[in-house]
């Protein structure tokens, strides 16, 4: 049993929201610790409603998931045309006289082993770009759904006392966090202990804020974010919501622009 | 005639018992005619009597199919399993599947250059897609033209002469086909 020594609680009592909401109330969440297996609530913070309290749009979430699955997909299915199949240059038999049907090549599409006429031709890309706002709202909807369904947990930091995988498993089981957990931190180099501990399990995954996406949030049951990750995420999303120079970012995707 | 009637009477022994006679019957006469216009015979058989006589034909006209589908019967001495591949469930949490979709929103959530305000775009991270196909959508003709443009500069004609020839042949054939055989917008037929 590990006991943490820390100053008197609550450590975090308030958080100033950027672009304070005018007509929506901020949502409040507990901040927990990762030092001990048992949960210790360290404080209560506000979350911006524009990010975490949007009415979840299932159609937008679906669009985002479909886009993520398709835009990187390339089909390598390929069939040869008649002229590409090996052989078949010679007329199999004279036009007349044999009593059999007439043919010009043994690789014509009506022959077995012949070419395929309108078959797949590789490579075929299914790339398309979803609109900027569709993706932004997909993130907002998914985050809101996660919070509303009690699948969003805020922790102070991802520092755990040991690199034993059993510690992490016990912690997750004790707190009732789902079978699969996605730990999100601001920085992409995570503390050593949690990296080693989660390495043993495929269903505990670590991700930086810039790697966050709708598909991963839906694949993992619980989303555990650090305070700094929440700050960064809110800052980014609110920046895009309130910027006035978004013409370039929200413009239709052009190959030459990247 | 009498013997026939007699045999009929003996087989229809039960019938005769329940024959109700409408009209006056000549009690004295021993031979009772089977038919008379004066009386109506109510002739019936109880199902119990039918069953008592013997097996009652059921589902008359039904053709029984011996094999109705499903597994074929196996003989007792057959101890070899039929060849069927072992089921191996896919690992939903291997690294590729667990982290699928990571960095797809890097242009929204990632850091932007302070001066140019530019971010990384997800198409720049498609490492498993051929470099001339990253962020590209098109029909076969468009894709092959782009491939030729890129690949020519990288020495493809020297390193892959046959494929280079095939590529050019395919482009030529598609050009002729699309420009002579199709009227509608070319992306509908290619």
């Amino acid at each position: 049993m590990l006991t943490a020594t820390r100053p008197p609680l609550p450590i975090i009592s308030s958080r100033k929201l950027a672009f304070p909401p005018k007509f929506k109330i901020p949502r409040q969440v507990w901040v927990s610790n990762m030092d001990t297996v048992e949960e210790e609530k360290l404080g209560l913070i506000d979350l911006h409603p524009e990010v975490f309290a949007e009415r979840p749009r299932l159609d937008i979430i679906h669009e985002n998931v479909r886009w993520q699955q398709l835009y990187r997909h390339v089909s390598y299915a390929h069939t040869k045309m008649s002229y590409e199949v090996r052989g078949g240059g010679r007329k199999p038999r004279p036009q007349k006289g044999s009593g059999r049907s007439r043919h010009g090549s043994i690789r014509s599409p009506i022959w077995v082993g012949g070419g395929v006429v309108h078959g797949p031709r590789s490579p075929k890309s299914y790339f398309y770009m979803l609109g900027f706002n569709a993706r932004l709202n997909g993130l907002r909807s998914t985050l809101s759904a996660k919070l509303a369904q009690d699948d969003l947990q805020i922790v102070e930091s991802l520092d755990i006392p040991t690199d034993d995988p059993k510690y992490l498993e016990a912690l997750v089981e004790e707190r009732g966090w789902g079978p699969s957990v996605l730990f999100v931190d601001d920085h992409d180099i995570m503390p050593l202990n949690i990296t080693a501990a989660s390495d043993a399990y495929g269903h505990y995954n670590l991700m930086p804020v810039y790697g966050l996406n709708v598909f991963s949030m839906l694949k993992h049951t619980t989303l555990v974010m650090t305070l700094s990750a929440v700050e960064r995420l809110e800052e980014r999303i609110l920046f895009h919501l309130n910027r006035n120079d978004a013409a370039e970012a929200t413009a239709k995707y052009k190959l030459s622009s990247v | 005639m009498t013997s026939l009637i007699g045999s009929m009477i003996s087989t229809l022994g039960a019938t005769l018992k329940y024959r109700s006679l409408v009209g006056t019957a000549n009690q004295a006469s021993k031979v009772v005619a089977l038919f008379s216009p004066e009386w109506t015979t109510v002739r019936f058989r109880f199902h119990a009597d039918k069953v008592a006589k013997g097996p009652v034909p059921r589902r008359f006209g039904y053709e029984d199919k011996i094999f109705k589908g499903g597994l074929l019967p196996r003989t007792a001495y057959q101890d070899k399993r039929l060849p069927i591949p072992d089921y191996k469930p896919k690992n939903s949490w291997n690294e590729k599947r667990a982290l699928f979709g990571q960095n797809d929103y890097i242009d929204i959530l990632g850091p932007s250059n302070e001066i140019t305000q530019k971010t990384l775009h997800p198409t720049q991270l498609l490492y498993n897609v051929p470099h001339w196909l990253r962020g590209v959508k098109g029909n076969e003709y468009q894709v092959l033209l782009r491939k030729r443009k890129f690949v020519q500069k990288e020495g493809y004609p020297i390193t892959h002469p046959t494929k280079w020839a095939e590529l050019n042949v395919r482009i030529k054939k598609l050009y002729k086909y699309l420009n002579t055989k199709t009227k509608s917008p070319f992306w509908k037929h290619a």
Side-chain angles (χ1 to χ4, degrees):
Chain A
M1 193 75 107
L2 296 149
T3 52
T5 53
R6 59 169 78 85
L9 300 170
I11 297 169
I12 310 117
S13 57
S14 69
R15 193 171 147 255
K16 202 175 170 194
L17 296 177
F19 300 98
K22 272 190 192 168
F23 308 109
K24 294 181 182 180
I25 49 163
R27 300 299 190 265
Q28 294 187 316
V29 282
W30 288 110
V31 179
S32 329
N33 69 331
M34 293 281 280
D35 300 351
T36 57
V37 170
E38 287 80 26
E39 190 173 15
E40 263 187 59
K41 292 179 162 52
L42 304 178
L44 199 68
I45 58 159
D46 289 348
L47 292 179
H48 202 290
E50 292 276 295
V51 177
F52 290 97
E54 273 300 302
R55 185 179 284 272
R57 282 277 301 270
L58 295 182
D59 58 331
I60 292 179
I61 295 173
H62 169 77
E63 271 179 33
N64 276 265
V65 170
R66 185 180 182 267
W67 169 74
Q68 283 192 266
Q69 286 170 328
L70 268 185
Y71 92 103
R72 51 161 59 85
H73 179 55
V74 174
S75 167
Y76 293 103
H78 183 78
T79 51
K80 289 190 177 2
M81 306 273 302
S82 294
Y83 67 91
E84 288 169 338
V85 181
R86 186 93 176 164
R90 182 177 57 198
K91 195 170 170 63
R93 52 181 163 273
Q95 180 82 356
K96 300 183 75 61
S98 68
R100 300 174 68 185
S101 58
R102 52 193 181 182
H103 292 291
S105 143
I106 58 161
R107 303 299 186 203
S108 111
I110 61 175
W111 282 67
V112 169
V116 178
V117 182
H118 289 303
R121 302 289 299 179
S122 89
K124 181 176 174 184
S125 88
Y126 289 80
F127 172 83
Y128 70 104
M129 209 58 207
L130 203 58
F132 185 89
N133 287 320
R135 289 188 292 133
L136 184 66
N137 291 329
L139 282 170
R140 292 162 75 200
S141 278
T142 323
L143 287 164
S144 309
K146 280 285 176 204
L147 176 64
Q149 293 181 331
D150 205 22
D151 286 329
L152 180 69
Q153 308 289 340
I154 313 290
V155 292
E156 185 199 6
S157 78
L158 292 179
D159 292 311
I160 55 175
T162 60
D163 61 355
D164 184 18
K166 294 278 179 344
Y167 174 85
L168 193 61
E169 193 182 6
L171 189 150
V172 169
E173 294 298 316
E174 162 73 27
R175 300 179 188 202
W177 295 353
S180 50
V181 183
L182 184 64
F183 296 96
V184 178
D185 198 1
D186 186 16
H187 196 49
D188 44 13
I189 297 171
M190 307 284 177
L192 176 66
N193 281 343
I194 195 157
T195 316
S198 61
D199 208 34
Y201 303 103
H203 47 281
Y204 299 153
N205 291 298
L206 310 170
M207 216 179 254
V209 167
Y210 63 75
L212 201 57
N213 62 92
V214 173
F215 189 94
S216 292
M217 281 200 275
L218 293 176
K219 187 172 171 78
H220 296 81
T221 327
T222 310
L223 181 65
V224 174
M225 298 184 76
T226 57
L227 272 176
S228 47
V230 168
E231 291 276 352
R232 179 87 180 123
L233 181 66
E234 269 194 17
E235 181 265 315
R236 284 274 90 201
I237 291 182
L238 291 168
F239 163 71
H240 287 297
L241 283 173
N242 294 288
R243 66 193 290 187
N244 53 11
D245 61 344
E248 207 186 312
T250 55
K252 190 180 174 203
Y253 170 78
K254 273 188 190 144
L255 193 54
S256 52
S257 65
V258 175
Chain B
M1 184 66 169
T2 46
S3 60
L4 187 70
I5 292 165
S7 64
M8 280 170 79
I9 287 165
S10 64
T11 52
L12 299 168
T15 325
L16 279 170
K17 249 193 260 177
Y18 305 107
R19 185 204 287 171
S20 53
L21 305 171
V22 177
T24 53
N26 194 349
Q27 299 286 338
S29 66
K30 285 183 184 173
V31 176
V32 183
L34 281 171
F35 170 73
S36 171
E38 283 175 44
W39 29 264
T40 312
T41 328
V42 177
R43 184 172 157 275
F44 55 88
R45 288 183 291 174
F46 288 116
H47 185 72
D49 300 324
K50 246 207 260 186
V51 166
K53 270 200 190 163
V56 177
R58 296 195 180 279
R59 294 179 284 275
F60 179 76
Y62 172 73
E63 283 175 29
D64 185 26
K65 290 180 193 167
I66 298 163
F67 179 64
K68 287 172 192 164
L71 290 173
L72 290 171
R74 314 244 177 129
T75 45
Y77 55 80
Q78 207 168 3
D79 52 358
K80 274 193 194 164
R81 275 188 64 190
L82 286 174
I84 187 165
D86 290 333
Y87 170 64
K88 282 174 223 159
K90 67 176 182 189
N91 182 11
S92 301
W93 294 101
N94 63 11
E95 188 168 341
K96 203 172 158 188
R97 290 200 182 101
L99 300 174
F100 180 83
Q102 192 178 20
N103 303 334
D104 280 349
Y105 294 75
I106 201 156
D107 57 337
I108 300 172
L109 298 173
S112 59
N113 188 300
E114 279 172 28
I115 302 160
T116 61
Q117 288 285 302
K118 279 211 154 190
T119 60
L120 267 179
H121 200 267
T123 47
Q124 292 173 291
L125 306 175
L126 296 174
Y127 303 124
N128 289 339
V129 175
H131 65 283
W132 45 268
L133 202 57
R134 280 172 200 159
V136 173
K137 172 84 178 276
N139 59 48
E140 193 198 350
Y141 186 58
Q142 293 163 329
V143 157
L144 287 179
L145 283 175
R146 187 175 164 87
K147 181 179 178 183
R148 183 165 70 173
K149 208 189 336 175
F150 275 70
V151 129
Q152 189 173 18
K153 291 180 188 173
E154 289 151 17
Y156 199 76
I158 314 281
T159 53
H160 301 79
T162 314
K163 287 223 146 56
W164 171 251
E166 281 175 8
L167 176 66
N168 284 314
V169 161
R170 184 68 191 150
I171 288 173
K172 219 172 185 180
K173 279 197 181 283
L174 273 171
Y175 175 91
K176 284 187 208 163
Y177 172 75
L178 295 169
N179 287 316
T180 61
K181 302 278 183 180
T182 64
K183 262 199 184 270
S184 29
F186 60 92
W187 53 80
K188 270 195 182 177
H189 286 273

